[in-house]
């Protein structure tokens, strides 16, 4: 249906008209969009760089030692997907990552077509990965996502019979809006939400021509969203569709056209059901995994209403997202940044006014009111944020709904200006409304500008949240640029209203100005890197890749300060790790790792999906690492040392310079192997400034150990270690000296009683912050972890007792609960190579056994979804697998069915009789099997139904033609 007052414009003869008068104006629109995309991503088209958020990994070891020139770890626009989701995409398309159903990572739950991984197999733009090298394909994929979003909005506006320029304007607004551009590194969000206009287009075409084939368009889009697997996008899309259905059906119900309303309702419901049936292959496993997951149970995300202050982001984005970004310069990009262009703000007001008697206007207004209520906590709609589903969506993501509404109504305002049949009275009203709103907005901005010294007005508007302590920092060159954009936009709309003959030129100018506005905002948000900087190898990685056989690695940070191979990055290099990121967090595995995780890390894993183990190195449990098949521990260059004790709390830091040295004396416990000091160069010592830590047997005794380092080249704030002689115990004297440093620029040795906070800066205005240690005594890992690699990019230790992927034991123990089993297997006296522990809760019929002999097991085939093991037991025993327990595994011993038991708290165990046997395992959980069958059956039914419908239509047309022929004769 055509919105009120909108018609196609009469024929014109300008160059622009000749372009759009092609047989297919849609081709012209696609060409214009591609030109805009090429200009927007000029680093790609002109510099041949590639789009990648992977530069964030240079914050972590082992890449930290080889960060490329120009890399800034404080870049607030980097995305955490660089560590968690993006590597899965790389690994999937390069054959080093996931199998189809079973994740390569033991930390992950069943494959649920997770975002940026398997789900992309059902998103057509991702097919570029099958045809192009990954680096090129990845960049093309991101650009195609933007193109698809723009073309989807263009088709919807074309369906509304808008003029070509208005359709292209809406496409540009929608393609380059802040919520898409900022989130392009998290490509699952723009990929999912970009097809929402295509859903509405299909519904509108169905209403117009009553052809059920058009319902396949929204059905396919719904299926694509489900396969992409990003639950917040599902919820946001669902809210949009509910508001659309309610707004679209209301006029029919009000006019008592119940048959028409019933037909529309049936079409909407059918499209939704078909979409879910098509995606059953993904939907059923996803729901199953979510039901048994800890997915965001630790927080209600949507209830954190953004302060009203953040509304300025949608008008003045440079104020929010740089040094004033309230989430801090790390983690996700500004989720509150939904900028859609200030230029078209006046045009949006004009469009809402013009559509005031049309369903589209009310639909758009409902979108804006609903989203604003959720984002900024405006009553009474904010109470909806407590509903299940809605409360799991971060408040800022509802800004997409506002962006969608603006992309719908701003072109309506432009269409009214271009329509020659818009009355003079309507034009005057549009001009008055636009000028009035722009004047009020500029007056409000002027008040803030005048009051910027004290900020009282700003604090009143923000309801006292006080997130930004100096609100006048928003006044600057970008601020004036934004004022210029809004003044030019409003003036152009007013001129076009009052001078219809200039409407075409004004529309073209608005289109160009809007693009410049969005370009000035977003052209720097998506990190581009040289091809050589996309997941480069380092000597440490090459060392691990050279090791043969099955093994896992355990990245362990140094006191939580440094990241080591975070998230899923090891998968890029074909390395298997015990940590990682998964959309659905398996609670049983988190419980399993609990002895090696702090409370903060457990909470982080539940809420965000990050898993870290032993962040302060003293929490390593060798039995758990052995059971998980960890052969190598990867840590920072400081090594795998355990803190024994902490000494010398003080209120102020010490300094060393010239002839001034710092001397400490303390008792060293017998198990101490080294002493470590936390020092800083303050950011001012030049490279080559030598500093030395000397260990004396007594205050005036002889030197027993020393260590020198370049204080000017070390990271600002780092631990410096000096090793002690083997078996040493006593009260040594430590002397720290930096003879070439000066009093004004000394070497700093911290002396406050608390350990450093990893997220805080260590130097502020040239002075060290409180809350750091002077030094600590250390213990080496011992014989169970042998150092095998030492380099500037990190250290690698080999775990001497690591278990293979499969092994056999003859003995078993039985304890009451799974918690008791965890306590038993983490005990230093337990030997994982000799016995397995069952919990009565998991295996009620289990009995302790003490079989002796040989229990040989060898993995003969392993492709992720299937596993073959040859066993040769001298007596009946147990086959253990270093894989997390999952009842989706089917087992056969010599072709006969067997059962997978749960042992050692959360590992797979199979009872195997004596002798030589072949154990075959296959991962085929029921929800995958039935989901696959339902999806395939749905496709078959649709194909057959479409063929029958087409046959019926041809027969009907043939009968109609014969009837018309007889009548004419």
């Amino acid at each position: 249906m055509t919105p009120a007052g909108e018609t196609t414009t009469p024929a014109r003869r300008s160059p622009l008209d000749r372009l759009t008068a092609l047989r297919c104006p849609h081709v012209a629109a696609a060409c214009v969009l591609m030109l805009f995309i090429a200009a927007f991503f000029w680093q790609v088209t002109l510099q041949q760089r590639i789009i990648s958020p992977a530069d964030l990994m240079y914050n972590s070891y082992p890449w930290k030692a080889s960060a490329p020139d120009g890399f800034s770890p404080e870049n607030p626009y980097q995305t955490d997907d660089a560590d968690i989701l993006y590597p899965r995409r790389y690994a999937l398309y390069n054959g080093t990552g996931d199998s189809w159903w079973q994740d390569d990572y033991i930390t992950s739950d069943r494959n649920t077509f997770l975002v940026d991984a398997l789900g992309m197999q059902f998103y057509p733009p991702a097919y570029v990965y099958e045809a192009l090298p990954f680096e090129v394909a990845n960049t093309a994929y991101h650009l195609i996502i933007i193109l698809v979003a723009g073309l989807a909005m263009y088709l919807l506006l074309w369906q509304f019979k808008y003029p070509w320029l208005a359709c292209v304007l809406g496409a540009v607004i929608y393609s380059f809006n802040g919520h898409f551009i900022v989130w392009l590194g998290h490509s699952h969000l723009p990929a999912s939400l970009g097809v929402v206009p295509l859903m509405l287009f299909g519904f509108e075409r169905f209403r117009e021509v009553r052809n059920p084939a058009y319902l396949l368009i929204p059905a396919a889009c719904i299926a694509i969203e489900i396969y992409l697997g990003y639950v917040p996008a599902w919820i946001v899309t669902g809210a949009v569709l509910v508001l659309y259905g309610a707004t679209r059906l209301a006029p029919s119900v009000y006019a008592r056209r119940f048959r028409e309303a019933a037909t529309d309702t049936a079409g909407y419901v059918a499209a939704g059901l078909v979409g879910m049936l098509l995606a059953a292959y993904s939907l059923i496993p996803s729901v199953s995994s979510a039901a048994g997951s800890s997915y965001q149970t630790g927080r209600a995300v949507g209830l954190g209403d953004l302060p009203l202050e953040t509304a300025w982001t949608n008008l003045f984005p440079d104020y929010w997202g740089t040094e004033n970004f309230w989430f801090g310069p790390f983690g996700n990009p500004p989720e509150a940044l939904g900028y859609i262009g200030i230029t078209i703000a006046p045009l949006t007001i004009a469009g809402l006014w013009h559509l005031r008697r049309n369903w589209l206007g009310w639909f758009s207004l409902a979108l804006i009111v609903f989203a604003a209520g959720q984002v900024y906590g405006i009553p009474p709609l904010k109470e909806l944020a407590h509903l299940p589903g809605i409360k799991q969506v971060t408040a800022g993501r509802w800004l997409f709904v506002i962006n969608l509404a603006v992309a719908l109504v701003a072109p309506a305002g432009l269409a009214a200006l271009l329509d020659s049949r818009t009355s003079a009275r309507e034009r005057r009203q549009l001009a008055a409304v636009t000028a009035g709103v722009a004047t009020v907005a500029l007056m409000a901005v002027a008040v803030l500008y005048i009051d910027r010294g004290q900020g009282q007005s700003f604090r009143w508007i923000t309801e006292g949240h006080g997130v930004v302590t100096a609100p006048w920092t928003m006044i600057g060159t970008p601020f004036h640029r934004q004022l210029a954009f809004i003044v030019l936009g409003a003036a152009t709309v007013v001129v076009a209203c009052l001078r219809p003959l200039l409407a075409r030129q004004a529309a073209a100018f608005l289109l160009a100005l809007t693009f410049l506005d969005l370009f000035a905002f977003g052209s720097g948000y998506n990190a581009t890197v040289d091809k050589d900087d996309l997941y480069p190898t380092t000597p440490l990685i090459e060392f691990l890749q050279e090791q043969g056989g099955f093994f896992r690695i355990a990245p362990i940070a140094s006191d939580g300060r440094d990241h080591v191979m975070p998230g899923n990055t090891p998968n890029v290099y074909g390395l298997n790790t015990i940590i990682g990121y998964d959309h659905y967090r398996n609670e049983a595995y988190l419980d399993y790792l609990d002895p090696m995780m702090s409370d903060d890390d457990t909470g982080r894993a539940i809420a965000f999906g990050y898993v870290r183990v032993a962040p302060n190195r003293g929490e390593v449990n060798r039995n758990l690492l052995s059971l998980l098949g960890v052969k190598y521990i990867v840590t920072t260059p400081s090594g795998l040392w355990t803190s024994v004790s902490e000494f010398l709390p003080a209120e102020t830091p010490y300094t060393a310079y010239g002839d001034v040295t710092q001397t400490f004396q303390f008792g060293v416990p017998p198990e101490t192997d080294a002493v470590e000091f936390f020092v800083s160069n303050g950011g001012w010592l030049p490279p080559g400034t030598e500093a030395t830590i000397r260990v004396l047997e007594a205050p005036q005794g002889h030197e027993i150990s020393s260590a020198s380092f370049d204080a000017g080249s070390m990271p600002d704030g780092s631990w410096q270690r000096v090793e002690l002689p083997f078996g040493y115990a006593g009260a040594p004297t430590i002397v720290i000296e930096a003879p070439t440093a000066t009093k004004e620029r000394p070497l700093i040795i911290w002396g406050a009683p608390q350990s450093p906070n990893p997220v805080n800066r260590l130097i502020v205005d040239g002075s060290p912050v409180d809350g750091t240690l002077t030094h600590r005594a250390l213990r080496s890992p011992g014989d169970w972890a042998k150092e095998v690699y030492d380099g500037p990019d990190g250290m690698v230790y080999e775990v001497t007792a690591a278990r293979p992927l499969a092994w056999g034991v003859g003995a078993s123990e039985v304890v009451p609960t799974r918690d008791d089993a965890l306590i038993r297997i983490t005990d230093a006296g337990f030997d994982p190579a000799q016995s397995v522990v069952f919990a009565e809760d998991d295996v009620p019929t289990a009995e302790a056994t003490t079989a002796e002999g040989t229990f040989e097991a060898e993995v003969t085939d392993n492709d992720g979804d299937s596993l073959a093991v040859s066993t040769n037991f001298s007596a009946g025993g147990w086959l253990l697998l270093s894989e997390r327990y999952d009842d989706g595994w089917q087992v056969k011993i010599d072709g006969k069915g067997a059962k997978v038991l749960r042992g050692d708290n959360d590992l797979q165990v199979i009872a195997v009789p004596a002798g030589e046997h072949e154990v075959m395992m296959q991962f085929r959980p029921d929800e995958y099997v039935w989901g696959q069958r339902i999806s395939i059956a749905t496709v078959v039914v649709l194909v057959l139904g479409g063929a029958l419908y087409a046959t019926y239509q041809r027969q009907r047309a043939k009968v109609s033609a014969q009837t018309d022929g007889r009548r004419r004769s």
Side-chain angles (χ1 to χ4, degrees):
M1 300 296 290
T2 304
E6 267 61 89
T7 63
T8 54
T9 55
R12 312 170 187 86
R13 297 182 179 277
S14 68
L16 186 60
D17 295 326
R18 288 194 290 272
L19 173 65
T20 58
L22 299 172
R23 289 186 178 273
C24 185
H26 308 329
V27 174
C31 291
V32 171
L33 271 177
M34 286 189 285
L35 287 174
F36 279 147
I37 291 172
F40 196 94
F41 296 95
W42 59 272
Q43 299 98 329
V44 172
T45 54
L46 297 181
Q47 296 183 338
Q48 286 77 53
R49 293 169 66 86
I50 58 175
I51 295 177
S52 171
D55 58 345
L56 186 63
M57 73 182 183
Y58 289 109
N59 284 328
S60 308
Y61 284 101
W63 308 279
K64 194 173 185 177
S66 58
D69 293 339
F71 169 71
S72 172
E74 288 78 26
N75 176 12
Y77 305 142
Q78 294 167 338
T79 70
D80 56 10
D81 281 13
D83 295 333
I84 52 181
L85 298 178
Y86 180 74
R88 295 175 66 103
R89 188 192 314 174
Y90 184 100
L92 178 70
Y93 287 101
N94 284 272
T96 59
D98 298 327
S99 55
W100 189 245
W101 280 347
Q102 179 69 10
D103 274 337
D104 186 53
Y105 282 131
I106 193 173
T107 184
S108 301
D109 214 326
R110 298 172 177 179
N111 263 352
T112 48
F113 299 89
L114 181 68
V115 288
D116 278 352
L118 297 180
M120 293 173 60
Q121 299 292 312
F122 299 87
Y123 182 55
Y127 298 160
V128 294
Y129 288 100
E130 308 292 348
L132 300 173
F134 178 84
E135 296 79 5
V136 178
N138 186 66
T139 299
Y141 173 71
H142 284 87
L143 301 189
I144 293 173
I145 288 175
I146 297 298
L147 180 63
V148 168
L151 291 178
M153 179 56 68
Y154 169 85
L155 287 176
L156 178 60
L157 297 176
W158 189 267
Q159 173 63 26
F160 292 151
K161 308 301 189 293
Y162 284 169
W164 186 85
L165 263 176
C167 295
V168 174
L169 176 68
V172 169
I173 293 171
Y174 194 66
S175 297
F176 302 105
N177 78 77
H179 220 54
F180 280 7
I181 292 301
V182 173
W183 276 83
L184 194 56
H186 307 244
S187 58
H188 44 274
L189 190 71
S192 296
L193 298 180
V195 297
V196 169
L198 203 56
M199 298 182 192
L200 303 183
F201 167 77
F203 287 134
E204 286 298 304
R205 288 295 294 170
F206 168 72
R207 284 181 57 90
E208 181 179 356
V209 300
R210 294 303 181 190
N211 187 339
Y214 282 107
L215 292 176
L216 293 178
I217 297 176
C221 292
I222 290 171
I224 285 173
E225 275 211 22
I226 294 174
Y227 277 115
L228 286 174
Y230 193 56
V231 176
W234 301 357
I235 298 170
V236 172
T237 299
V240 171
L241 294 181
V242 168
L243 289 174
Y244 167 78
T247 309
R248 208 64 174 103
L249 293 173
S252 299
V253 175
Y254 181 78
R256 298 180 180 274
R257 299 193 299 270
F258 298 118
R259 188 172 183 177
E260 175 183 301
T263 302
D264 292 338
T265 303
Y268 302 153
V269 172
L273 289 176
V274 170
M276 288 189 287
L277 291 173
L278 285 171
Y281 193 26
S282 170
L283 185 61
I284 296 177
S286 296
V287 172
S288 175
S289 291
S293 167
S294 62
Y295 178 63
Q296 292 183 341
T297 56
R299 60 174 185 162
V301 194
L303 302 184
D305 303 323
L306 296 178
L308 191 59
E309 175 182 15
T310 59
W312 280 93
T313 300
N314 299 297
L315 299 177
F316 302 98
D318 289 286
Y319 153 68
W320 210 259
T322 53
E323 67 273 6
N324 295 317
F325 176 33
W326 73 294
F327 281 105
F330 46 83
N332 284 339
E335 294 186 2
L337 191 49
Y339 185 71
I340 200 167
I342 200 172
T343 299
I344 46 87
L347 195 61
T348 302
I349 301 299
L352 276 174
W353 176 263
H354 184 64
L355 293 174
R356 62 191 182 277
R357 296 187 182 90
N358 186 270
W359 74 269
L360 184 58
W362 288 103
F363 170 54
S364 302
L365 185 61
L367 292 176
I368 293 172
V369 171
F370 170 78
Q374 305 311 305
V375 174
Y376 304 113
I378 301 173
L381 289 178
K382 74 172 185 178
E383 301 305 322
L384 295 175
H386 295 267
L387 296 176
I390 291 181
K391 73 177 182 180
Q392 300 297 335
V393 179
T394 303
R397 292 175 197 173
W398 290 108
L399 287 169
F400 159 79
V401 178
I402 298 178
N403 294 346
L404 174 64
V406 172
L408 290 174
V409 297
L414 188 62
L417 302 182
L418 293 172
D419 192 344
S420 60
R421 293 187 291 181
T422 302
S423 66
R425 181 173 178 271
E426 176 76 2
R427 289 181 178 276
R428 287 194 297 271
Q429 288 180 342
L430 292 175
V433 169
T434 302
V437 171
T439 301
V440 171
L442 291 173
M443 289 176 61
V445 170
V447 170
L448 291 179
Y449 184 86
I450 294 172
D451 192 40
R452 67 188 185 278
Q454 298 297 324
Q456 296 298 323
S457 299
F458 192 89
R459 279 191 283 271
W460 177 75
I461 289 176
T462 61
E463 302 174 355
H465 285 282
V467 176
V468 176
T469 57
W472 56 89
T473 57
M474 63 183 284
I475 309 298
T477 303
F479 180 83
H480 296 127
R481 181 194 70 199
Q482 296 300 98
L483 288 185
F485 277 133
I486 194 172
V487 169
L488 285 173
T492 304
V493 173
V494 172
V495 169
C497 289
L498 301 179
R499 294 289 185 270
L501 292 178
L502 299 177
R504 294 287 295 169
Q505 293 84 341
F509 178 73
L510 270 176
L511 176 61
L513 191 65
T514 299
F515 175 75
L516 289 176
D517 182 358
L518 295 170
F519 177 85
F521 146 73
S523 62
Y525 263 87
N526 295 283
T528 59
V529 298
D530 291 329
K531 293 180 180 180
D532 293 339
D533 291 330
L534 181 68
Y535 290 122
T537 58
T538 73
L540 185 150
I541 293 174
E542 292 174 352
F543 169 81
L544 292 173
Q545 290 177 323
E546 291 169 357
Q547 310 309 311
F550 166 83
F551 65 87
R552 293 192 179 97
I553 62 171
I556 295 179
S558 173
D559 297 295
R561 288 183 46 78
D562 290 309
H563 295 287
V564 180
M565 285 192 170
N568 297 327
T569 50
N571 210 4
V572 171
Y573 302 95
L575 301 174
N576 207 329
T577 179
I578 65 168
I579 69 168
Y581 175 92
D582 196 81
H583 198 50
Y584 300 111
R585 273 70 82 179
N586 185 276
E587 290 186 273
Y589 186 67
L590 291 182
D591 292 340
Y592 186 82
L593 293 179
D594 187 67
M596 295 194 296
M597 296 175 66
S598 66
D599 292 341
D600 289 343
D601 286 322
T602 300
R604 181 189 299 269
I606 292 174
F608 301 105
Y610 295 99
V611 178
R612 297 193 309 175
V613 297
N616 59 13
R617 303 182 294 185
E619 299 174 349
V620 176
N621 185 279
R622 63 190 72 180
N623 283 349
L624 288 184
L625 294 183
S626 298
L627 286 168
L628 292 173
V630 174
K631 186 177 181 181
Y632 298 105
I633 294 174
V634 181
T635 187
T636 64
S638 59
L640 189 66
W641 296 75
T642 303
S643 179
V644 177
S645 57
E646 301 168 356
F647 300 92
L648 293 179
E651 297 301 325
T652 59
Y654 303 93
T655 56
Y657 55 89
D659 295 332
V660 176
T661 62
Q662 292 298 335
T663 303
F664 310 97
Q665 186 173 19
F666 52 87
V668 176
E671 64 270 28
T672 300
D673 296 306
V675 179
E676 198 167 42
F677 287 80
F678 199 60
V679 298
S680 170
N681 56 31
W684 52 60
L685 292 179
T689 303
E690 184 176 354
T692 303
I693 303 175
R694 300 168 56 215
V695 182
L696 308 181
E697 190 173 28
Q700 303 300 326
H702 71 277
E703 181 178 302
I704 59 176
S705 182
S706 67
S708 298
F709 56 95
D710 185 345
S713 300
M714 69 180 184
D716 185 26
S718 62
W719 291 102
Q720 297 295 330
R721 184 174 67 244
V722 56
E723 297 185 16
L724 300 177
F726 178 77
Y728 176 84
T733 298
I734 310 295
V735 178
I736 302 180
E737 52 193 17
T740 60
T742 64
K743 182 177 182 180
E744 293 74 21
R745 297 184 173 184
L747 176 71
I748 298 172
I749 306 115
W750 271 288
Q754 301 298 321
S755 60
N757 184 339
V759 300
N760 286 345
R761 296 178 60 189
L762 301 175
I763 296 290
V764 176
D765 296 330
S767 300
V769 299
D770 293 335
T772 50
L773 293 174
T774 299
H775 66 273
R776 60 196 176 182
L778 301 177
R779 181 175 60 237
S780 64
D783 295 338
W784 69 274
K786 180 177 62 176
E787 180 183 324
V788 292
Y789 175 86
D790 184 7
D793 54 345
M795 293 188 69
V796 179
Y797 291 82
E798 181 179 352
V799 178
T800 55
R803 294 286 83 210
L805 178 58
W807 72 99
V809 299
S812 65
E813 305 175 29
V814 181
V815 295
T817 68
R818 197 179 302 161
D819 290 339
D820 295 324
L822 185 61
I823 293 173
R824 174 58 181 145
I825 64 175
T826 55
D827 185 84
F830 176 74
D831 186 356
Q834 300 298 325
S835 181
V836 60
V837 179
F838 291 111
E840 293 178 354
D841 291 348
D842 296 322
V843 190
T845 60
E847 296 181 359
T849 60
T850 58
E852 297 181 356
T854 59
F855 302 91
E856 299 176 358
E858 180 183 1
V859 176
T860 57
D861 184 49
N862 178 24
D863 68 356
D865 290 336
S866 62
L867 187 69
V869 183
S870 295
T871 63
N872 187 1
F873 290 3
S874 60
W878 310 98
L879 174 64
L880 280 80
L881 296 169
S882 183
E883 291 286 351
R884 189 173 49 75
Y885 173 81
D886 192 309
D887 59 9
W889 283 95
Q890 300 175 1
V891 185
K892 291 184 179 180
I893 300 177
D894 297 332
K896 297 181 180 180
K899 186 177 181 181
V900 177
L901 304 177
R902 187 179 207 144
D904 284 349
N905 181 269
D906 197 33
L907 297 185
Q908 299 183 40
V909 184
I910 304 167
V912 178
E916 297 183 3
H917 300 280
E918 291 293 327
V919 180
M920 302 295 297
M921 302 182 64
Q922 190 173 27
F923 189 70
R924 289 184 60 83
D926 292 340
E927 56 264 41
Y928 283 103
V929 175
W930 282 104
Q932 184 185 53
R933 291 172 179 173
I934 292 172
S935 293
I936 293 175
T938 302
V939 172
V940 172
V941 170
L942 288 176
V943 171
L944 294 177
L948 292 174
Y949 182 77
T951 302
Y952 167 75
Q953 290 292 86
R954 285 196 298 270
Q955 291 295 332
R956 186 177 178 182
K958 182 178 180 180
V959 170
S960 177
Q962 291 174 348
T963 302
D964 290 342
R966 287 195 296 269
R967 288 176 180 174
R968 284 193 295 270
S969 62

